[in-house]
Amino acid sequence: MLFALIIVYVVTLVYFSITERFRHYASLVALQGWVLAGIALLRLHAVDVGELIFVLLETVVFKALIVPYILFGIIRRTGINRVHPSAVTGFNALLLFLGGLIASVGVTYFLADTTVNLAFFAVALYGVICGLLLIVTHKRIFSHLVGFLVIENGVFLFSMAVGVEMPFLINAAVLLDILISILMLGLFVTKIGERFRSLSTDELTSLKD
Amino acid sequence: MVLCFLIVSLLAALFTGLSRNRCLAAVFAFLFYAAQLAFALWIVLRGRGETVLSFFTLDNLGAMFHLLTAVIAPVVYRQSLRYLDTEPVREFRIYSLALIGLCLSVTGVYYADNAAVTWIFLEATTLATAALVYHRRTARSLEATWKYLFVSSVGIAVAYLGILLLSTAVTGNEGLSYRQLLLAVPGANPLYMKVAFLLILTGYSCKMEVFPLYTVGVDANYAAPTPASALISTALVNAGFVAFFRIYRVMAVSEVYDWCRNVLILAGLLSLLAGAVYLRRTNNYKRFLSYSTVENLGIVLIGLGVGGIGVFAALFHLAVHSLLKAGMFLQIAQVGRFFGTYRMNRTGNYLNLYRIGGATVMMGLVGLLAFPPSGLFVSEFLIFREMIATRRWWLLTVFVLLMCLVVYTLCRRFAGLAFRPEAAGTTRPEAISRTATWLQIALMTAVMVAGIVQPRFLVDFINGMLM
């Protein structure tokens, strides 16, 4: 079951490369939230109830429901539902993402150690690489936001890969992360979308020497 | 005492936020800064050691940077009052709270005894800084806030990956307390340590304003109100450094230490190069001072990289730089008000038009150039000495070349401000507070005194950080 969820997670990451519609991005982020919830349930079954509820709240309520809801809201409000025309084409992006997958598997085996779960490690690393690729290959700020959320999911998976046992600190860090993400989404919804109508990074050029 | 400080600080912050009156809000804010200064002095004089809060330890490293922040922050707030005198009470309160929030979160970073707790407080600084950068609510400040939030969050997430990997590398370790890490790290997986170090350096570089993520700090300083930039360029940069330095100390007892030092030299040189190149390109004083911060932090990384006395020099350099850069930013805030612009080509003849202000800029220039009696001279001299002692001739050559470029640009730009004829059509809308200028002079005098005498207790205090 766990392995199946990891495969689904990888598929969502690859799908990010070929899709060009923002609605699909938002749906994929929601799906990743559910997959992470499932993985967290299967991985953290031995921890206490309070912690389990916290993890589920973070994955299901926040990652799978609230964030996608805000993302769909942004799409509705701005009326922009496609990546920028000058973004890397689907085929090239797919090649890049598959290259990222090979690289992350290679790095994982290079770093192989008994202290980490290799499958988790490789997929988490792939998640981070995909997030970075989404940011650098796209021009619209929405894609960058989704890239950041994909990186956050990768980091979440990574914390499970290394099996960190510091519930209080990790929870505090996660809470702060949630706060920052909500602030970014809020800023996006209320300010950026209004001021920069095309949502393109081409408009963000007033800060220069 | 720690709890007492925390309660007073939080109450002062609460009342600052609740005050409906500008004057009352300022009084509570000053109460906060007074409490912070008293607390920092108490720690320096007698309060170092364990605390009732299990994730914090009051040590020399935190105490020095806390004291610097406690000295700089009230001066910054005093100058901010003049900056904010025409703004609505609501904006005034938000600004005051953001400054207090930044001070509290950097204090948390300074004293955190656990890598995860340090990370949490660094993340908190992002929120406070974003509020300061967005203060003007213009398109430019919105862009800068967005970039700051975005790049900082990505950077901090990368640093978090590094911390998680560090916890994996240190097999058998039950937590991320720095003391536990120091004990457990000698047997750690070297490959994991190297990757963790790279990730943490990259992540924290957005706070330290060094290569590779230095641009976000430059943009934040540019868009934030200038007095706030003084705090961002000092207290926040110091917080990033402290967070990184604690990891550096852990690496120093591992087998990958030499490799880490080489990485630091490379990152330091690239920061110095970026600073030197962009110092020449920019036409804005705020960006100019921000690139100067990048350049100085590059020198600090090189100091850590060469090791030996270079580590002491790096800490000394950063402490002196904090006072100097705060003074310079605040003085440039006055220049901006005086000429109504921060553009270099629209200013000039400052020394004749406002003698004390011009003299302060010249004093700051001597400080930044690291000419005697600037305190930076001592630190840079020690770094040079260590480079020669360890026969790093290639490093010395590149370092000297880049420093020549920096010195030339600094002289050209600030001499232009002081002596070049003023551009036609320049207006001077406001009278300047001489008291404020004297506060800047006081900060810079401290820099000069540090260059002439280094009291035994100060040297011992800094040496205590290396333990």
Side-chain angles (χ1 to χ4, degrees):
Chain A
M1 182 64 181
L2 196 61
F3 193 68
L5 285 174
I6 291 176
I7 295 292
V8 172
Y9 188 81
V10 173
V11 170
T12 63
L13 290 173
V14 175
Y15 197 61
F16 270 116
S17 67
I18 50 172
T19 184
E20 293 188 340
R21 292 193 181 275
F22 287 159
R23 299 191 75 79
H24 295 169
Y25 279 14
S27 304
L28 287 171
V29 169
L31 182 57
Q32 283 201 347
W34 288 107
V35 171
L36 287 176
I39 292 173
L41 261 178
L42 292 170
R43 284 278 294 176
L44 303 175
H45 54 84
V47 296
D48 66 273
V49 179
E51 195 185 332
L52 200 61
I53 290 172
F54 182 87
V55 171
L56 283 177
L57 274 177
E58 196 221 340
T59 50
V60 176
V61 177
F62 179 70
K63 289 184 186 293
L65 297 175
I66 295 178
V67 167
Y69 177 76
I70 298 174
L71 291 178
F72 278 118
I74 292 171
I75 295 165
R76 269 196 306 276
R77 186 182 283 236
T78 58
I80 297 175
N81 187 30
R82 288 186 77 91
V83 296
H84 196 277
S86 64
V88 177
T89 58
F91 179 72
N92 290 340
L94 181 64
L95 285 183
L96 269 176
F97 274 58
L98 289 177
L101 182 60
I102 293 165
S104 51
V105 170
V107 168
T108 303
Y109 276 94
F110 184 61
L111 292 173
D113 191 317
T114 52
T115 52
V116 293
N117 182 320
L118 290 185
F120 273 73
F121 192 96
V123 175
L125 188 62
Y126 182 49
V128 174
I129 290 173
C130 286
L132 291 173
L133 283 173
L134 268 175
I135 292 170
V136 297
T137 58
H138 287 74
K139 276 194 144 184
R140 290 230 154 102
I141 308 170
F142 188 90
S143 309
H144 293 188
L145 194 63
V146 171
F148 171 70
L149 293 169
V150 170
I151 291 176
E152 288 281 292
N153 288 346
V155 172
F156 182 84
L157 203 58
F158 195 85
S159 67
M160 284 194 270
V162 298
V164 181
E165 291 180 13
M166 294 175 295
F168 165 72
L169 290 178
I170 295 298
N171 290 350
V174 165
L175 270 177
L176 208 60
D177 245 6
I178 288 174
L179 196 63
I180 293 267
S181 302
I182 287 180
L183 185 73
M184 283 175 66
L185 289 165
L187 193 71
F188 196 100
V189 172
T190 58
K191 305 289 176 195
I192 299 266
E194 289 171 10
R195 192 85 68 134
F196 305 109
R197 296 303 301 176
S198 77
L199 295 184
S200 166
T201 48
D202 289 343
E203 286 188 275
L204 302 179
T205 52
S206 68
L207 300 171
K208 56 187 174 191
D209 295 300
Chain B
M1 185 68 184
V2 176
L3 284 179
C4 189
F5 161 75
L6 205 59
I7 291 167
V8 171
S9 300
L10 291 177
L11 281 176
L14 182 71
F15 286 120
T16 306
L18 292 176
S19 300
R20 300 216 169 262
N21 178 312
R22 173 192 296 267
C23 189
L24 208 57
V27 168
F28 282 119
F30 274 118
L31 181 67
F32 168 83
Y33 294 119
Q36 199 177 46
L37 186 58
F39 183 55
L41 282 171
W42 176 76
I43 294 168
V44 169
L45 295 174
R46 61 162 82 176
R48 292 190 298 281
E50 301 284 324
T51 68
V52 288
L53 305 169
S54 55
F55 291 122
F56 299 91
T57 301
L58 309 179
D59 60 357
N60 285 20
L61 181 65
M64 184 174 85
F65 288 108
H66 184 199
L67 184 61
L68 284 168
T69 303
V71 168
I72 292 166
V75 181
V76 164
Y77 191 65
R78 157 74 179 68
Q79 315 297 59
S80 300
L81 291 180
R82 199 162 167 74
Y83 186 92
L84 299 168
D85 54 6
T86 55
E87 304 217 358
V89 178
R90 183 172 168 272
E91 268 70 46
F92 180 84
R93 280 203 314 249
I94 293 174
Y95 180 89
S96 303
L97 273 179
L99 271 187
I100 288 175
L102 183 59
C103 286
L104 275 175
S105 45
V106 295
T107 306
V109 175
Y110 294 154
Y111 292 123
D113 187 27
N114 184 297
V117 177
T118 305
W119 181 88
I120 289 168
F121 277 97
L122 264 188
E123 181 91 312
T125 64
T126 305
L127 291 173
T129 310
L132 289 171
V133 176
Y134 189 53
H135 178 74
R136 283 184 184 145
R137 285 145 179 78
T138 59
R140 194 173 70 184
S141 61
L142 177 61
E143 182 184 333
T145 310
W146 170 256
K147 284 181 177 172
Y148 188 79
L149 271 176
F150 188 78
V151 178
S152 285
S153 301
V154 173
I156 289 286
V158 168
Y160 189 53
L161 277 180
I163 291 170
L164 289 174
L165 201 60
L166 189 64
S167 79
T168 312
V170 185
T171 319
N173 186 37
E174 290 177 358
L176 281 171
S177 152
Y178 292 112
R179 271 170 295 179
Q180 287 174 311
L181 286 175
L182 276 169
L183 291 175
V185 97
N189 181 333
L191 190 58
Y192 279 21
M193 296 287 285
K194 286 179 183 176
V195 178
F197 181 78
L198 275 183
L199 290 173
I200 292 171
L201 176 63
T202 305
Y204 286 168
S205 69
C206 62
K207 300 289 179 188
M208 280 199 288
E209 295 190 21
V210 292
F211 185 86
L213 300 179
Y214 64 89
T215 52
V216 67
V218 175
D219 288 343
N221 282 325
Y222 179 45
T226 316
S229 304
L231 202 63
I232 294 170
S233 270
T234 54
L236 182 58
V237 167
N238 292 348
F241 175 81
V242 168
F244 174 73
F245 187 70
R246 291 195 190 279
I247 297 292
Y248 171 84
R249 280 201 307 203
V250 169
M251 295 294 172
V253 295
S254 74
E255 59 183 280
V256 299
Y257 180 49
D258 288 337
W259 182 87
C260 293
R261 284 168 54 192
N262 289 333
V263 170
L264 285 176
I265 288 174
L266 184 64
L269 277 180
L270 290 170
S271 305
L272 190 53
L273 177 68
V277 170
Y278 282 100
L279 274 174
R280 279 182 61 76
R281 282 191 59 180
T282 187
N283 185 34
N284 182 289
Y285 281 116
K286 290 173 76 177
R287 293 185 79 85
F288 188 78
L289 288 180
S290 303
Y291 285 122
S292 162
T293 304
V294 175
E295 171 249 315
N296 276 291
L297 265 289
I299 294 172
V300 168
L301 287 193
I302 290 170
L304 293 182
V306 294
I309 194 76
V311 182
F312 172 91
L315 289 162
F316 188 77
H317 190 94
L318 196 61
V320 173
H321 172 262
S322 301
L323 295 171
L324 183 59
K325 196 48 65 70
M328 277 305 271
F329 257 112
L330 294 172
Q331 189 54 41
I332 287 300
Q334 278 203 337
V335 169
R337 291 178 77 88
F338 191 81
F339 291 101
T341 179
Y342 290 105
R343 288 175 63 182
M344 291 175 163
N345 57 1
R346 304 287 300 163
T347 57
N349 203 23
Y350 190 50
L351 196 60
N352 276 334
L353 295 169
Y354 181 45
R355 281 194 187 280
I356 306 175
T360 312
V361 169
M362 288 294 106
M363 211 170 158
L365 173 62
V366 171
L368 286 175
L369 290 174
F371 283 171
S374 167
L376 295 187
F377 170 76
V378 177
S379 51
E380 290 185 19
F381 174 75
L382 290 175
I383 292 172
F384 270 120
R385 207 180 79 179
E386 189 61 26
M387 282 182 201
I388 293 167
T390 52
R391 298 177 179 279
R392 293 175 189 265
W393 304 114
W394 65 269
L395 175 62
L396 188 69
T397 310
V398 178
F399 188 78
V400 168
L401 285 174
L402 290 173
M403 287 308 291
C404 287
L405 189 61
V406 169
V407 166
Y408 168 74
T409 313
L410 283 170
C411 287
R412 192 158 173 264
R413 299 296 199 182
F414 282 121
L417 171 65
F419 304 112
R420 185 181 52 215
E422 206 178 346
T426 308
T427 55
R428 284 189 291 285
E430 297 184 47
I432 293 301
S433 160
R434 283 176 187 268
T435 319
T437 312
W438 284 108
L439 283 172
Q440 274 96 260
I441 291 177
L443 288 174
M444 290 181 197
T445 305
V447 171
M448 302 304 167
V449 170
I452 298 165
V453 280
Q454 296 89 42
R456 190 71 230 165
F457 77 88
L458 180 64
V459 175
D460 289 343
F461 199 79
I462 295 178
N463 279 329
M465 299 176 200
L466 309 177
M467 304 294 180

